[in-house]
Amino acid sequence: MLLLLGLCLGLSLCVGSQEEAQSWGHSSEQKTKPLMTEFSVKSTIISRYAFTTVSCRMLNRASEDQDIEFQMQIPAAAFITNFTMLIGDKVYQGEITEREKKSGDRVKEKRNKTTEENGEKGTEIFRASAVIPSKDKAAFFLSYEELLQRRLGKYEHSISVRPQQLSGRLSVDVNILESAGIASLEVLPLHNSRQRGSGRGEDDSGPPPSTVINQNETFANIIFKPTVVQQARIAQNGILGDFIIRYDVNREQSIGDIQVLNGYFVHYFAPKDLPPLPKNVVFVLDSSASMVGTKLRQTKDALFTILHDLRPQDRFSIIGFSNRIKVWKDHLISVTPDSIRDGKVYIHHMSPTGGTDINGALQRAIRLLNKYVAHSGIGDRSVSLIVFLTDGKPTVGETHTLKILNNTREAARGQVCIFTIGIGNDVDFRLLEKLSLENCGLTRRVHEEEDAGSQLIGFYDEIRTPLLSDIRIDYPPSSVVQATKTLFPNYFNGSEIIIAGKLVDRKLDHLHVEVTASNSKKFIILKTDVPVRPQKAGKDVTGSPRPGGDGEGDTNHIERLWSYLTTKELLSSWLQSDDEPEKERLRQRAQALAVSYRFLTPFTSMKLRGPVPRMDGLEEAHGMSAAMGPEPVVQSVRGAGTQPGPLLKKPYQPRIKISKTSVDGDPHFVVDFPLSRLTVCFNIDGQPGDILRLVSDHRDSGVTVNGELIGAPAPPNGHKKQRTYLRTITILINKPERSYLEITPSRVILDGGDRLVLPCNQSVVVGSWGLEVSVSANANVTVTIQGSIAFVILIHLYKKPAPFQRHHLGFYIANSEGLSSNCHGLLGQFLNQDARLTEDPAGPSQNLTHPLLLQVGEGPEAVLTVKGHQVPVVWKQRKIYNGEEQIDCWFARNNAAKLIDGEYKDYLASHPFDTGMTLGRGMSREL
């Protein structure tokens, strides 16, 4: 016989503190409590998306029926997806259904402790109670899913291990599959922020006792399986704490990690090694009477630490508020040792008194920031933040929640991000949550007994280093539908931007992605075409039939990740909206999606269906499903692969036309004179290590191009002793800002005050003020300067190079309009010149501007007149554009003697960044 005594909120989540969870698992009135024979947690994480199943088995040893309550803490950001009870030979299966609208608000209030934007430190507690017949068994199976968030450079997966009694079989089994590769992994000591009744292991400096870790490049298995003796050493009452795994994945400095599976994609974007954006930050501290004592002291100590962490380019101010608004300075202050000292003195003298004017404090902080940005002119190159800390509700000034929210939103206008921290149990956390949600920030809750100072420092650490602002990620509308949020106000170092969506056509062969953003000095554009190939999903890791989807019967973790993110975003939008019709539309959409994918949310409920007869193998199916491990073949594209050869399925079509004027190959120079319809060519037999001045216009346009030679043996039976190729192209730009580019066949280094490294095996575009660098994967690099100068560098790669072959570059001038008439260099000296042919004295007159195609070999000789030089030339043919085009040209022998000004040695630079030139009008040597 089974009596379902009560499931809190109809088997939905109940929010409660961990103290409330200290006495579950049996009825305190029973003299012989039910015995927990097994407590196990099995988790499978596939590309940051975690499937977790908790199994608990109980035995009623008493001679009478006993009440039993199953209770489990789960991460606040997780969605429960399944719950099943086995009582004796009866099965009760949970079913996610729509919740009636009238009870939605009540549930929302219950869940309002945290949302997915809040601290993962918060937990929510699932409870279910039942009666176990005498001498019978019961089993409980709870499944939930969550997307791990990256904070401070790590993903954290936390599992509550609090069976409330010692268990004969206790285990935690976690599988991690990351196709990008696992960069780091650690298991922390068991953590229990409320230590009542719990202990620690003998050595709490590393993983808990009995933990075993096995891993390779892309897969890790972590097992925690303490014996009863080991459990007792940790906590005799079975409250062991949180088993925490932290890890990170390999990532490229690129457009990110893009994975595609069965019509769905997910895009992880977490660039690194970017210069930090300057911060304009106002610290707003509650100094009302309720902050007296430990809270205010801890907060002051934390702010002392934070002030020392500010960077020289940051600006800051401090506001204390109670019933009065006390501003340290009426403007933002630059970061200096003196200003930090003065700020600490001001904070030290804050004393708790009066009420809480939240509206007035926020308005004053926003005015400070808006005033500074308006007068400094660096708004596009900085981030404006408010760090707001309070322990109470608005009691002075404007106290109406909606008016505070409206006033703040209208003042901030999306230009100021508000990060809020609520301390204790009396804080209006709903208000803080909405303030952050509506103003591009985050919120955290600090419990009364926790250290507010350490929590504040940890929260600030997450936002201390903004790297990008105004991030927009675009996909072709014809290829992608129902993408999650694609606009992000800021990206902070150590975090991650995640977007998921549906592909219109599953047979799509590539997906185009564009990321635009701003950092401290540049407007950045990243572009790539991601190859898409059909993939296979793995077995069901959730332990139950596939919910929704296409009916193929396999679990698509990327599809479930998309549905998770979409549901979270709908819930956030619903929480932010004040428009009732809009709120209702959002509620209906969130509810329909949650029912389809079996997510327990504020708009859905779980009902138990049954009892039904128990089938053989049912326990094993529920207990083992999450531990079976995934078997998907997942496409992972971190912007590009590592193999040589073009990655784009379609050939790259340059946006600008390449001219013939170039140096390529061994090295062969070509100069085009379009007005005369003449093309001239010559060779330079340099030495390995020589640095050739190709374009020298440093004084006028501010542009210099140098090329460094690399040597190789001559091919057999050749007339040369050795070959030389261009290994490195260095482009120096002095206007409007000084910067340089160093290009090799494998990478492009762009340095304009900060250093950016772009691999050449992926397509990417980076733009700054007056400069654009476009890389076409393993094909070419296009450099455009001020819109009037353009160079194209061809990348020559060999799959299996012969001894006389080297990966090398070709340099082509596509647009020279912005170069001055004083431009010089081996190529530059001809850009503003004209040439003409004269008749060969030894032979008859010919149409020398249009010679007939002759057999292989040299044709007729002539004399070329250019820049006042009379140069003997001979007609020949030469291949350019990577051998794709053959041209007719007049060839000047002997290292272009008489054709170029001076001699070959006059064009040798002393180092790659040498901008001087000894030849040409008005030229002088510079460094």
Side-chain angles (χ1 to χ4, degrees):
M1 174 182 180
L2 169 73
L3 175 62
L4 190 63
L5 292 182
L7 301 177
C8 184
L9 296 180
L11 272 179
S12 67
L13 298 183
C14 293
V15 175
S17 68
Q18 291 184 19
E19 285 89 350
E20 295 173 358
Q22 300 299 317
S23 60
W24 68 277
H26 62 91
S27 171
S28 60
E29 300 297 327
Q30 299 294 335
K31 295 179 180 180
T32 305
K33 64 181 182 181
L35 176 67
M36 183 175 295
T37 58
E38 179 181 349
F39 178 87
S40 65
V41 183
K42 302 177 189 297
S43 229
T44 298
I45 304 170
I46 317 176
S47 299
R48 294 77 139 177
Y49 194 71
F51 301 88
T52 302
T53 294
V54 182
S55 304
C56 178
R57 304 178 195 277
M58 305 291 295
L59 171 64
N60 180 8
R61 299 174 294 176
S63 56
E64 63 273 354
D65 297 350
Q66 284 190 315
D67 296 341
I68 182 72
E69 183 181 68
F70 170 77
Q71 186 166 277
M72 181 66 189
Q73 295 180 31
I74 69 169
F79 285 145
I80 287 176
T81 56
N82 189 38
F83 177 68
T84 301
M85 291 195 308
L86 280 65
I87 308 295
D89 59 354
K90 299 293 192 297
V91 179
Y92 296 82
Q93 177 70 50
E95 179 183 352
I96 302 291
T97 61
E98 294 183 0
R99 180 179 296 279
E100 294 181 8
K101 181 182 176 183
K102 63 182 180 181
S103 60
D105 289 340
R106 179 171 61 89
V107 178
K108 170 176 64 66
E109 296 290 345
K110 286 281 190 179
R111 288 183 55 95
N112 198 50
K113 181 175 180 180
T114 56
T115 70
E116 103 278 4
E117 297 290 344
N118 308 148
E120 308 296 329
K121 301 295 183 185
T123 60
E124 292 179 337
I125 299 173
F126 178 91
R127 293 187 182 93
S129 55
V131 173
I132 306 179
S134 171
K135 308 297 183 181
D136 215 336
K137 297 178 182 179
F140 303 89
F141 304 99
L142 176 69
S143 297
Y144 59 88
E145 299 175 13
E146 64 174 322
L147 177 62
L148 304 184
Q149 299 295 316
R150 189 169 184 256
R151 290 198 174 115
L152 301 177
K154 302 286 184 181
Y155 304 99
E156 183 173 296
H157 185 51
S158 180
I159 296 171
S160 176
V161 186
R162 295 176 173 86
Q164 316 301 315
Q165 58 176 284
L166 302 180
S167 175
R169 289 187 294 170
L170 188 150
S171 66
V172 176
D173 189 345
V174 180
N175 290 322
I176 301 174
L177 176 65
E178 292 289 350
S179 55
I182 299 173
S184 64
L185 185 145
E186 62 176 334
V187 179
L188 276 60
L190 289 168
H191 174 75
N192 203 334
S193 59
R194 296 160 181 81
Q195 292 299 314
R196 190 181 76 183
S198 66
R200 290 295 181 99
E202 294 175 350
D203 179 10
D204 60 1
S205 62
S210 81
T211 302
V212 177
I213 304 172
N214 292 295
Q215 73 176 100
N216 57 30
E217 291 183 2
T218 59
F219 179 79
N221 174 246
I222 302 99
I223 296 177
F224 171 54
K225 198 172 183 179
T227 64
V228 173
V229 173
Q230 289 171 322
Q231 294 173 49
R233 287 175 178 169
I234 298 170
Q236 293 188 3
N237 62 359
I239 305 173
L240 277 64
D242 295 318
F243 185 80
I244 301 172
I245 299 169
R246 286 181 184 161
Y247 75 96
D248 198 19
V249 301
N250 297 320
R251 47 180 47 86
E252 302 284 344
Q253 278 185 270
S254 66
I255 205 158
D257 182 5
I258 300 175
Q259 300 180 9
V260 178
L261 184 62
N262 289 345
Y264 290 82
F265 76 91
V266 61
H267 182 184
Y268 300 99
F269 182 62
K272 57 182 179 178
D273 298 333
L274 295 172
L277 282 164
K279 295 191 299 292
N280 316 313
V281 57
V282 178
F283 299 99
V284 184
L285 174 61
D286 186 346
S287 59
S288 62
S290 59
M291 287 285 290
V292 68
T294 303
K295 284 188 288 189
L296 187 58
R297 177 178 53 78
Q298 290 177 344
T299 301
K300 287 181 177 182
D301 291 342
L303 283 176
F304 294 161
T305 301
I306 290 171
L307 290 182
H308 280 291
D309 189 64
L310 293 173
R311 295 182 175 86
Q313 66 265 35
D314 295 338
R315 298 291 185 272
F316 76 105
S317 190
I318 303 163
I319 294 177
F321 73 97
S322 54
N323 54 323
R324 294 174 52 212
I325 310 301
K326 292 157 281 190
V327 182
W328 172 45
K329 303 286 186 182
D330 62 357
H331 58 281
L332 294 191
I333 304 298
S334 59
V335 176
T336 65
D338 289 344
S339 65
I340 296 299
R341 182 198 61 215
D342 293 346
K344 291 174 64 177
V345 171
Y346 178 78
I347 293 171
H348 175 74
H349 286 106
M350 280 186 181
S351 58
T353 181
T356 309
D357 186 0
I358 290 178
N359 182 74
L362 286 171
Q363 292 296 308
R364 192 71 182 90
I366 294 171
R367 284 199 298 271
L368 276 178
L369 290 166
N370 288 341
K371 178 182 176 181
Y372 172 74
V373 171
H375 289 87
S376 68
I378 68 163
D380 292 339
R381 303 187 303 280
S382 66
V383 172
S384 295
L385 312 174
I386 292 174
V387 178
F388 183 90
L389 185 146
T390 183
D391 72 336
K393 301 177 176 66
T395 60
V396 177
E398 181 58 69
T399 59
H400 192 271
T401 298
L402 286 179
K403 287 187 178 179
I404 295 174
L405 291 169
N406 290 334
N407 293 343
T408 305
R409 186 169 55 244
E410 291 173 4
R413 302 190 309 275
Q415 303 303 308
V416 177
C417 294
I418 301 175
F419 297 83
T420 59
I421 301 171
I423 302 177
N425 301 322
D426 297 327
V427 69
D428 187 348
F429 194 72
R430 259 193 91 195
L431 172 60
L432 299 186
E433 184 178 50
K434 294 194 74 173
L435 281 170
S436 294
L437 281 174
E438 293 181 0
N439 297 281
C440 60
L442 302 172
T443 188
R444 292 287 184 271
R445 186 168 198 161
V446 180
H447 292 282
E448 198 79 49
E449 64 276 20
E450 291 180 328
D451 183 347
S454 62
Q455 296 285 326
L456 175 57
I457 292 173
F459 186 33
Y460 175 78
D461 283 344
E462 294 183 34
I463 62 175
R464 66 186 291 266
T465 310
L467 297 182
L468 295 174
S469 63
D470 302 322
I471 304 109
R472 189 183 76 229
I473 302 181
D474 292 319
Y475 312 92
S478 59
S479 302
V480 171
V481 293
Q482 298 185 36
T484 56
K485 183 170 65 173
T486 58
L487 298 175
F488 304 88
N490 300 304
Y491 165 73
F492 296 96
N493 190 40
S495 64
E496 185 172 55
I497 289 173
I498 304 176
I499 299 172
K502 291 183 179 182
L503 298 177
V504 174
D505 182 6
R506 290 194 178 197
K507 298 180 180 178
L508 194 70
D509 57 1
H510 69 278
L511 175 62
H512 184 72
V513 184
E514 294 188 9
V515 178
T516 59
S518 297
N519 74 355
S520 58
K521 294 187 178 181
K522 296 183 177 67
F523 179 70
I524 297 176
I525 305 174
L526 304 174
K527 300 180 182 180
T528 193
D529 286 88
V530 180
V532 177
R533 295 181 296 275
Q535 304 294 320
K536 293 182 179 180
K539 63 176 65 179
D540 190 348
V541 296
T542 64
S544 51
R546 175 191 177 96
D550 56 10
E552 293 176 359
D554 289 331
T555 291
N556 181 342
H557 69 277
I558 297 181
E559 179 183 354
R560 293 199 65 79
L561 186 155
W562 166 82
S563 62
Y564 172 98
L565 264 185
T566 304
T567 302
K568 287 287 186 182
E569 290 182 2
L570 289 170
L571 291 174
S572 293
S573 298
W574 179 86
L575 184 63
Q576 295 177 57
S577 177
D578 295 322
D579 180 75
E580 287 304 320
E582 176 66 16
K583 284 180 76 77
E584 177 59 19
R585 285 192 294 271
L586 291 168
R587 186 193 69 81
Q588 291 179 3
R589 289 179 58 195
Q591 185 180 71
L593 193 63
V595 170
S596 176
Y597 285 89
R598 284 203 339 272
F599 292 146
L600 188 56
T601 71
F603 305 131
T604 54
S605 61
M606 181 174 284
K607 298 179 180 178
L608 284 183
R609 301 297 184 188
V612 296
R614 178 162 149 189
M615 297 179 294
D616 292 339
L618 183 59
E619 287 192 40
E620 289 73 13
H622 286 280
M624 296 298 293
S625 59
M628 294 299 291
E631 295 182 349
V633 180
V634 182
Q635 173 190 1
S636 177
V637 183
R638 297 176 297 282
T642 57
Q643 294 76 16
L647 293 180
L648 301 182
K649 187 171 183 63
K650 297 180 180 180
Y652 174 74
Q653 299 297 329
R655 293 173 295 131
I656 55 180
K657 182 175 176 58
I658 304 177
S659 76
K660 298 176 184 177
T661 301
S662 60
V663 51
D664 207 342
D666 182 20
H668 298 162
F669 287 75
V670 175
V671 179
D672 192 35
F673 297 97
L675 294 178
S676 306
R677 301 175 66 187
L678 282 175
T679 301
V680 177
C681 49
F682 58 93
N683 294 344
I684 292 292
D685 294 327
Q687 297 297 314
D690 284 355
I691 300 172
L692 309 182
R693 305 179 191 276
L694 304 178
V695 176
S696 296
D697 199 26
H698 179 73
R699 176 169 295 179
D700 294 299
S701 68
V703 175
T704 301
V705 183
N706 296 327
E708 183 175 357
L709 297 179
I710 186 176
N717 303 320
H719 64 283
K720 289 187 176 183
K721 295 182 179 180
Q722 67 175 356
R723 284 188 165 191
T724 53
Y725 302 94
L726 285 174
R727 173 179 63 183
T728 305
I729 300 289
T730 306
I731 303 175
L732 300 104
I733 303 158
N734 202 38
K735 299 177 182 178
E737 294 182 354
R738 187 175 181 85
S739 58
Y740 76 83
L741 284 140
E742 182 180 287
I743 303 167
T744 71
S746 61
R747 68 179 184 178
V748 177
I749 299 175
L750 170 60
D751 196 328
D754 53 270
R755 183 181 173 93
L756 185 64
V757 181
L758 308 173
C760 286
N761 62 359
Q762 72 170 50
S763 297
V764 61
V765 179
V766 176
S768 66
W769 315 116
L771 174 66
E772 182 180 285
V773 180
S774 174
V775 181
S776 178
N778 292 332
N780 57 64
V781 178
T782 302
V783 179
T784 306
I785 305 167
Q786 298 294 321
S788 60
I789 302 172
F791 305 128
V792 177
I793 296 90
L794 297 189
I795 302 171
H796 301 292
L797 301 174
Y798 301 93
K799 291 184 178 180
K800 296 180 179 180
F804 55 86
Q805 293 176 324
R806 296 288 185 270
H807 298 322
H808 65 280
L809 303 173
F811 175 75
Y812 291 75
I813 299 178
N815 184 359
S816 60
E817 290 180 5
L819 296 172
S820 74
S821 58
N822 294 325
C823 183
H824 213 271
L826 285 170
L827 288 175
Q829 62 187 297
F830 301 109
L831 294 178
N832 295 289
Q833 304 294 330
D834 199 5
R836 61 186 179 86
L837 284 176
T838 59
E839 185 177 345
D840 180 1
S845 175
Q846 302 181 51
N847 182 5
L848 296 175
T849 60
H850 297 87
L852 298 174
L853 293 178
L854 305 176
Q855 294 180 349
V856 176
E858 295 184 351
E861 295 185 355
V863 176
L864 179 76
T865 301
V866 58
K867 298 194 299 180
H869 301 166
Q870 301 292 315
V871 186
V873 293
V874 62
W875 181 87
K876 68 184 308 182
Q877 292 183 320
R878 174 160 285 179
K879 290 184 178 181
I880 60 173
Y881 305 159
N882 205 16
E884 294 179 1
E885 183 173 333
Q886 183 168 280
I887 61 168
D888 303 325
C889 66
W890 292 98
F891 178 71
R893 299 187 180 95
N894 303 323
N895 266 2
K898 298 184 180 180
L899 175 65
I900 60 176
D901 293 335
E903 301 176 357
Y904 165 73
K905 64 181 181 180
D906 296 321
Y907 295 87
L908 296 181
S910 59
H911 55 81
F913 309 108
D914 187 352
T915 59
M917 189 70 213
T918 57
L919 299 173
R921 186 173 61 186
M923 291 291 176
S924 63
R925 179 168 294 277
E926 302 176 26
L927 292 179

